[in-house]
Amino acid sequence: MVSRVSGDVVTDVLRPAGALDGWAGRFAALPDSVTLLAEPFHAMVDVRTADPAALERLVGAPLPGPNAWSGGERVTAIWLGPDEWLLTSPFLSPAELEGAARETGAAALPDARLAVVDVSAQRTTVRLRGAHARDVLETGCAIDLLPRSFGAGSAAVTLLGQSGVVLLGLGPSDYRILVRSSFAAYLAEWLLDAASEWR
Amino acid sequence: MQLIHCPWCGPREEVEFHYGGQAGVAYPADPAVLSDEEWARYVFVRDNPKGRFEERWSHSAGCRRWFTAVRDTVTYRFER
Ligand SMILES: [Zn+2]
């Protein structure tokens, strides 16, 4: 990011550009019952391993099984497949997260075989909250989103509208949506359109 | 819409899946000795039963894993 101060060019700390930078105004026009927020940059690292226990210390919890996520604010692990997880962190840089996965994995289980790849540029993150958040998702997602089957800790790699997404349940009426950057504008338009019913 | 049971993710809508044709078509042990006709049979010719059919499916919009399922080609019903 470059900012101009009285004619001089001053280079600030570089901040990754988000695919939904510039959408805040349209998101802000939504009612409180459906709020959308383009979340700050999350580092994301794809891990493939047969030894998920090697990463428990980094995540702070056992790595999740199918259709679930685990971990905390610092590092989250999302199940993508039987030997594949997505680690995300809003606090670590992509290089730090990738390095931490390699180092803690090797320290915990020296024989563990891990494939660790930085995929931070692949997806961007949207937060959907409010009393009608689930109603909005249900207009374009076939997953059973009733709280009894999709609550806090649930995750699904699925379709929302015509776009592939990773959908995380954070709490009642609180969801995080990971969408590929090139689909982000489409999904934002889709969500705004779906939310218009509850305006 | 029809639900297909992914062995990892559970029941998902059929649009999340990609069809992979007949299951259990073995790669020739020694492809170099096949005649053109035998190679063409391996590449193109598949069973087309009326009824029970073992098929490859990929959960392409979900876990992206391949699995084998048995489907009835008359009713479209999947065996579990
Ligand atoms: Zn699946």
Side-chain angles (χ1 to χ4, degrees):
Chain A
M1 184 191 288
V2 174
S3 55
R4 267 175 200 285
V5 180
S6 62
D8 297 316
V9 176
V10 179
T11 306
D12 296 332
V13 177
L14 285 168
R15 190 181 66 82
L20 294 176
D21 287 0
W23 284 72
R26 292 183 65 191
F27 291 167
L30 287 165
D32 288 346
S33 61
V34 187
T35 64
L36 275 175
L37 175 72
E39 291 197 314
F41 178 79
H42 283 60
M44 297 188 194
V45 165
D46 186 285
V47 177
R48 298 198 67 166
T49 180
D51 306 298
L55 294 168
E56 281 187 18
R57 241 193 67 219
L58 176 64
V59 177
L63 267 65
N67 300 319
W69 65 270
S70 68
E73 280 293 306
R74 188 167 169 275
V75 177
T76 295
I78 305 161
W79 184 90
L80 292 186
D83 62 353
E84 187 174 10
W85 287 265
L86 185 69
L87 305 183
T88 72
S89 175
F91 301 118
L92 301 176
S93 74
E96 286 168 343
L97 183 58
E98 185 184 338
R102 288 186 195 286
E103 283 153 28
T104 56
L109 275 179
D111 294 335
R113 290 193 295 173
L114 302 166
V116 181
V117 180
D118 171 25
V119 293
S120 304
Q122 192 184 351
R123 297 183 178 92
T124 193
T125 313
V126 186
R127 186 79 169 265
L128 172 65
R129 272 178 288 195
H132 287 301
R134 176 158 60 87
D135 298 318
V136 168
L137 291 178
E138 282 174 343
T139 63
C141 183
I143 299 282
D144 180 3
L145 294 172
L146 283 173
R148 64 162 187 252
S149 59
F150 196 93
S154 294
V157 184
T158 187
L159 296 172
L160 179 56
Q162 300 288 316
S163 173
V165 295
V166 182
L167 181 65
L168 308 184
L170 302 185
S173 308
D174 190 356
Y175 304 90
R176 177 170 288 143
I177 305 167
L178 278 53
V179 61
R180 294 200 172 84
S181 298
S182 54
F183 279 82
Y186 159 79
L187 190 74
E189 286 285 4
W190 187 91
L191 285 165
L192 286 167
D193 181 63
S196 63
E197 203 169 323
W198 289 279
R199 219 169 265 280
Chain B
M1 190 176 289
Q2 178 160 19
L3 295 176
I4 295 175
H5 187 94
C6 169
W8 295 104
C9 307
R12 294 293 183 92
E13 261 193 333
E14 114 187 55
V15 291
E16 293 193 5
F17 294 84
H18 186 85
Y19 183 61
Q22 182 177 359
V25 180
Y27 191 77
D30 190 358
V33 304
L34 262 53
S35 69
D36 285 354
E37 191 193 330
E38 286 167 331
W39 183 254
R41 283 198 168 277
Y42 162 69
V43 173
F44 298 115
V45 179
R46 294 291 180 266
D47 294 345
N48 185 23
K50 182 177 181 181
R52 202 174 176 279
F53 195 30
E54 277 192 31
E55 299 168 325
R56 296 292 284 165
W57 286 85
S58 163
H59 189 192
S60 48
C63 62
R64 313 196 320 283
R65 263 60 185 183
W66 285 93
F67 60 96
T68 298
V70 179
R71 183 178 62 101
D72 189 308
T73 60
V74 178
T75 62
Y76 275 46
R77 192 161 290 148
F78 281 78
E79 286 178 15
R80 282 274 306 275

